[in-house]
Amino acid sequence: MSNYHIKHLEEYYQVYRKSVREPENFWAEVAEEHFMWRKKWDKVLQWDFKKPEIKWFDGAQLNITENCIDRHLVTKGDKTAIIFEPNSPDEAARHITYSDLHERVCKMANVLKSKGIKKGDRVCIYLPMIPELAVSLLACARIGAIHSVVFAGFSSKALASRINDSECKMVITSDGSYRGAKTIDLKGIVDNGLESCATVESVLVVNRIDAEINMKTGRDEWLQPLLDEASVHCAPEIMEAEDPLFILYTSGSTGKPKGMVHTTGGYMVYSAYTFKNVFQYHDGDVYWCTADIGWITGHSYIVYGPLANGATTVMFEGVPHYPDFGRFWEIVEKHKVNQFYTAPTAIRALGKQNIEFVEKHDLSSLKVLGSVGEPINEEAWHWYNDNVGKHKSPIVDTWWQTETGGVMITPLPYVTPTKPTYATLPFPGIQPALLDESGEEIKGNQVDGRLCIKFPWPSIARTIWGDHQRYKDTYFSAFENMYFTGDGALRDEVGYYRITGRVDDVIIVSGHNLGTAPIEDAINEHPAVAESAIVGFPHDVKGNALYGYVTLKETGESRNQDNLRKEINQVITDRVGAIAKLDKIQFTNGLPKTRSGKIMRRILRKIASKDISNLGDTSTLLNPECVQEIMDGVL
Ligand code: PRX
């Protein structure tokens, strides 16, 4: 037996030990007993972290949508697969059953085919959180097209760079989106972006807000009339386990975003197995993850993981503060949500509001609370536990990454005793290691170091689209024979892990992974800017906020600094997206640099955080005099 569902701590340790001692047998059992394969694998695992090359279930054939939809039809056809909760509470929620979902996905898949999309083609999906988003992912998977979802808060330039990087043939979007009381002109953003995209042949447009939009003849079409004509039958494309399922872009510490490539078989097995255990999902439960499907959390834990388990998953279109700060709790009450999964930034924002927003709702359906995306601070953890979970719903602080495809370090609710701010224990199959700067593994407990993973797991990203060398350099070169996460962590006296944050130039703002380089590149495009450096500083809601140090081409007060700040944030909004705007911008005559010309961010980080008691050795700087000037001008 594979212990697909782990129910107590002893069982966890037993399963974990097996997953380390006999990883191939362990994963073969999980895969064999709980999924539908058209052909079994020849080899469970082949791997080499030096190349790096990782293959799981090689030779096996399957279609993930058969696992997420078709196989549930006989027993669960009338069960709700997706509950769609619209932006406005005045618009009725929609329940989409597994049978409905099957029909919708098949029709959509046929529309894609009619537009010439075939196995291996890339389709960019730029949609708000409406059912068509989930349906589009699954329709791509149905026919073997590779989806690349771009979060619909990214700017047209960010969208275009992602479309061009993976040479998408099609874009699926909508006329616009609702965001609280506002509407956003998504189609306009797509039109702007596509001016610089040569590979896109067709654009399918969902009518969400009844907006008057431009339709480019020969390229753009409304989706609904095509769906009306489409057949409800679409045989699934039979995929190899190692065929790509999707590309999802994530920020890096340098240059352009990295298109992480996830493949079919291993990703399915891992996202489904983790979903079942991390949320202790039981048939009949209603599960809600508040993330956007534009991020990995939505891919794995709104769409694929829940549906592979035949679960009911909520998709929420809106925002936590519309029409008021009670919206999340109203939805929990309305749909009797059992598992609720959100980000610390949302918890902190909601924790600042009048407690009545929480207390006026009946939250007694809740059994499990989840947290993801950034370290959860002690205060937020307790607020969540006291006021939402009422001390009866365990909090699972789940650590993982776009690159890992699924949750890696986490408590299992009702299984692992929790500890505030600790992600606790590795999931079965995950072998973490802490390394020191010289690359030595730090053994024992009560230690801290750089978090690495020693052994592959089924849903590790296999490459960066079009740039395998960068994949190797980023994840497998810092430490020999290890996957390097980019995070620091400590291990306590009982072996629990606490993630302490990024040790590279990625900053997590409101749970969003932002690389400093693309933001600095954007700022440097402003004609008045000579140079810039971005660092994070602590923020009580966002976790971290961005602090920019900017040197201007012409010194002196010739320009109004407030206007310049606005212009700089506008350039960032245009180039990257509003999520990357800076909270503080300090103009300075110089940036501290090493003799080799590298900006010393460590010093800038300390100054921005007002932690200037020990700046470390500044004598090796090329221009130590600028440090005092920066300290004097700190905002
Ligand atoms: O720094 C870690 C942080 O988010 C990073 C991954 O970001 P992304 O690829 O966008 O995926 C986010 C959702 C899976 C990690 O390297 N992070 C994520 N979860 C946690 C976390 N930091 C601390 N605790 C967590 N639970």
Side-chain angles (χ1 to χ4, degrees):
M1 270 301 288
S2 67
N3 299 92
Y4 187 71
H5 188 181
I6 301 164
K7 298 193 191 67
H8 46 81
L9 193 60
E10 235 169 85
E11 200 181 353
Y12 159 79
Y13 279 114
Q14 185 197 326
V15 170
Y16 184 76
R17 276 194 297 270
K18 177 167 177 175
S19 77
V20 173
R21 278 194 206 131
E22 318 166 39
E24 295 197 30
N25 287 340
F26 173 78
W27 286 112
E29 282 170 18
V30 173
E32 188 148 5
E33 286 170 28
H34 300 280
F35 300 91
M36 195 179 143
W37 304 88
R38 290 293 189 112
K39 176 177 170 279
K40 229 184 115 174
W41 45 88
D42 305 319
K43 183 100 185 73
V44 180
L45 170 65
Q46 287 156 273
W47 69 291
D48 178 350
F49 274 178
K50 286 203 168 63
K51 276 184 181 166
E53 183 181 82
I54 303 138
K55 290 182 180 175
W56 281 92
F57 311 116
D58 201 31
Q61 293 181 333
L62 73 154
N63 185 287
I64 195 169
T65 69
E66 278 196 305
N67 282 273
C68 288
I69 311 172
D70 302 52
R71 67 171 167 150
H72 307 312
L73 293 178
V74 178
T75 53
K76 292 182 179 160
D78 295 332
K79 180 179 172 173
T80 301
I82 297 175
I83 299 176
F84 171 58
E85 173 67 28
N87 176 65
S88 164
D90 299 331
E91 187 181 334
R94 277 183 253 160
H95 288 244
I96 299 168
T97 65
Y98 274 92
S99 301
D100 298 336
L101 186 62
H102 185 259
E103 189 175 313
R104 282 174 172 242
V105 168
C106 287
K107 282 182 163 222
M108 183 77 184
N110 283 325
V111 170
L112 299 186
K113 282 205 241 175
S114 74
K115 294 275 146 202
I117 301 297
K118 41 186 201 327
K119 181 177 175 182
D121 287 343
R122 275 80 61 207
V123 173
C124 172
I125 303 174
Y126 188 73
L127 279 172
M129 280 285 286
I130 54 178
E132 288 82 354
L133 173 53
V135 169
S136 297
L137 268 70
L138 294 162
C140 287
R142 187 82 176 171
I143 63 169
I146 302 169
H147 56 75
S148 168
V149 183
V150 177
F151 171 62
F154 276 117
S155 69
S156 53
K157 293 225 164 66
L159 172 66
S161 75
R162 286 158 175 76
I163 290 174
N164 286 333
D165 182 70
S166 48
E167 298 176 303
C168 294
K169 253 172 102 170
M170 174 187 268
V171 178
I172 307 174
T173 188
S174 65
D175 56 345
S177 64
Y178 294 115
R179 194 181 151 77
K182 290 192 279 194
T183 56
I184 297 168
D185 175 20
L186 285 197
K187 180 63 166 55
I189 296 171
V190 171
D191 287 343
N192 282 339
L194 289 189
E195 281 174 19
S196 56
C197 300
T199 56
V200 173
E201 294 166 9
S202 50
V203 177
L204 300 179
V205 187
V206 178
N207 179 359
R208 176 57 185 141
I209 66 166
D210 275 329
E212 295 244 334
I213 52 167
N214 288 322
M215 295 292 269
K216 186 169 169 188
T217 318
R219 187 193 71 182
D220 304 351
E221 258 181 285
W222 289 104
L223 179 62
Q224 195 55 49
L226 299 173
L227 288 173
D228 292 342
E229 296 295 308
S231 158
V232 297
H233 300 287
C234 178
E237 181 80 29
I238 302 307
M239 307 293 286
E240 296 293 321
E242 281 298 335
D243 279 339
L245 174 64
F246 65 85
I247 302 169
L248 186 60
Y249 286 87
T250 187
S251 308
S253 34
T254 55
K256 62 179 193 175
K258 300 170 289 193
M260 304 313 306
V261 177
H262 282 283
T263 58
T264 309
Y267 175 80
M268 171 183 77
V269 169
Y270 197 78
S271 62
Y273 182 47
T274 46
F275 173 77
K276 177 75 184 171
N277 288 290
V278 172
F279 299 104
Q280 293 286 315
Y281 185 86
H282 290 89
D283 201 23
D285 286 348
V286 174
Y287 160 88
W288 178 24
C289 165
T290 69
D292 192 290
I293 293 175
W295 311 112
I296 191 69
T297 308
H299 281 58
S300 302
Y301 299 115
I302 296 178
V303 182
Y304 290 112
L307 297 179
N309 282 283
T312 298
T313 172
V314 177
M315 265 184 85
F316 174 44
E317 183 185 25
V319 289
H321 50 81
Y322 178 79
D324 63 37
F325 281 99
R327 188 69 193 279
F328 272 7
W329 320 124
E330 184 201 319
I331 296 172
V332 168
E333 179 175 1
K334 178 172 169 189
H335 298 298
K336 301 198 171 42
V337 170
N338 302 111
Q339 291 89 0
F340 176 74
Y341 192 28
T342 196
T345 185
I347 299 167
R348 287 189 294 263
L350 296 173
K352 284 191 174 297
Q353 312 307 319
N354 190 326
I355 197 66
E356 296 235 317
F357 284 119
V358 187
E359 285 180 347
K360 72 178 179 205
H361 294 287
D362 176 6
L363 306 182
S364 59
S365 58
L366 288 172
K367 296 193 288 192
V368 177
L369 302 178
S371 170
V372 61
E374 56 185 308
I376 178 166
N377 51 308
E378 191 122 11
E379 196 186 346
W381 195 97
H382 285 294
W383 185 87
Y384 202 25
N385 189 38
D386 295 349
N387 299 294
V388 183
K390 324 256 188 226
H391 299 264
K392 73 172 184 54
S393 300
I395 296 176
V396 289
D397 176 2
T398 64
W399 172 82
W400 59 296
Q401 309 179 296
T402 305
E403 295 85 339
T404 70
V407 171
M408 302 284 281
I409 301 183
T410 182
L412 303 183
Y414 303 99
V415 173
T416 320
T418 58
K419 177 173 177 181
T421 76
Y422 281 73
T424 76
L425 297 172
F427 193 79
I430 305 308
Q431 301 186 31
L434 297 178
L435 275 82
D436 66 19
E437 280 182 31
S438 65
E440 288 297 311
E441 183 170 351
I442 311 165
K443 303 270 183 172
N445 291 345
Q446 285 186 299
V447 291
D448 65 83
R450 280 145 201 253
L451 179 62
C452 294
I453 314 288
K454 288 192 220 184
F455 194 85
W457 61 99
S459 63
I460 182 175
R462 304 296 196 260
T463 190
I464 291 175
W465 184 264
D467 199 348
H468 198 67
Q469 186 62 40
R470 188 172 179 203
Y471 175 70
K472 180 175 177 171
D473 294 345
T474 311
Y475 304 106
F476 298 94
S477 301
F479 302 103
E480 208 183 338
N481 259 330
M482 299 264 175
Y483 165 83
F484 175 45
T485 65
D487 283 319
L490 57 85
R491 192 163 52 218
D492 77 358
E493 60 289 350
V494 297
Y496 275 16
Y497 287 87
R498 177 188 190 175
I499 312 303
T500 47
R502 301 292 307 186
V503 294
D504 57 10
D505 289 334
V506 170
I507 305 170
I508 314 272
V509 178
S510 299
H512 299 313
N513 211 336
L514 299 174
T516 51
I519 306 173
E520 289 165 3
D521 290 348
I523 299 172
N524 298 348
E525 283 190 24
H526 188 289
V529 171
E531 207 177 17
S532 60
I534 305 294
V535 295
F537 70 100
H539 185 281
D540 61 353
V541 173
K542 300 179 187 183
N544 294 297
L546 298 178
Y547 193 115
Y549 296 92
V550 175
T551 63
L552 298 175
K553 286 183 181 150
E554 282 172 36
T555 48
E557 300 298 309
S558 53
R559 303 215 30 186
N560 177 314
Q561 295 204 340
D562 281 339
N563 284 347
L564 256 182
R565 288 191 176 96
K566 282 192 196 126
E567 287 170 26
I568 287 171
N569 267 330
Q570 190 55 47
V571 182
I572 295 172
T573 306
D574 294 343
R575 301 239 138 222
V576 186
I579 52 175
K581 283 204 291 198
L582 309 184
D583 271 39
K584 295 184 181 177
I585 300 176
Q586 179 180 351
F587 296 104
T588 159
N589 288 318
L591 297 170
K593 288 191 184 157
T594 61
R595 289 183 193 278
S596 59
K598 205 165 172 268
I599 297 172
M600 286 281 269
R601 285 166 205 283
R602 182 175 53 77
I603 293 175
L604 294 174
R605 247 192 308 269
K606 285 198 159 216
I607 298 176
S609 308
K610 309 234 163 73
D611 171 22
I612 49 172
S613 52
N614 177 16
L615 282 185
D617 185 9
T618 54
S619 64
T620 57
L621 288 176
L622 192 64
N623 50 350
E625 68 289 348
C626 76
V627 175
Q628 190 58 47
E629 184 219 321
I630 292 174
M631 285 202 294
D632 292 343
V634 70
L635 300 169

